[in-house]
Amino acid sequence: MKYYILLNSVSSALKGKDILDKNNIKSSVERTPKNNVARSCGYSLMVKEEIERAKEILEDNKVIVLGVVTR
C-alpha cells in the first residue's frame, strides 16, 4: 500500500524527503492523488511503510502534515 503525506508546499515536500532519508525511511515526492489535491499543494511525500513514524519525524522537525491518504 502507498501512503501519501499531504503537505502545504513543494518546499515542505523536498525538506520532508531529506529528513526522512536521514532517518532511513524511503520516500519520494509525487503528485497528490487527484481527489485530494484541494487539501494540499499538489505534491505529497509517498511512503510505503512506517507511516506513523514518518509523520512523527516530520512533525518533530516542524514540517506541517495536513493529512495522509492511501492508494
Side-chain angles (χ1 to χ4, degrees), residues 17-59:
K17 181 179 179 352
D18 186 49
I19 291 166
L20 293 180
D21 286 348
K22 288 178 182 175
N23 284 276
N24 298 314
I25 296 178
K26 293 182 182 180
S27 65
S28 60
V29 176
E30 296 189 9
R31 297 284 295 161
T32 300
K34 289 182 182 183
N35 57 341
N36 296 288
V37 172
R39 294 176 46 196
S40 79
C41 67
Y43 285 91
S44 301
L45 278 175
M46 190 280 294
V47 296
K48 291 185 179 180
E49 54 192 38
E50 298 189 80
I51 185 62
E52 291 303 321
R53 182 169 170 249
K55 282 176 36 185
E56 183 178 310
I57 289 168
L58 292 172
E59 290 169 347

Side-chain angles (χ1 to χ4, degrees), residues 3-20:
Y3 298 95
Y4 291 86
I5 301 173
L6 306 178
L7 303 167
N8 61 356
S9 71
V10 174
S11 298
S12 292
L14 295 171
K15 177 182 175 184
K17 181 179 179 352
D18 186 49
I19 291 166
L20 293 180

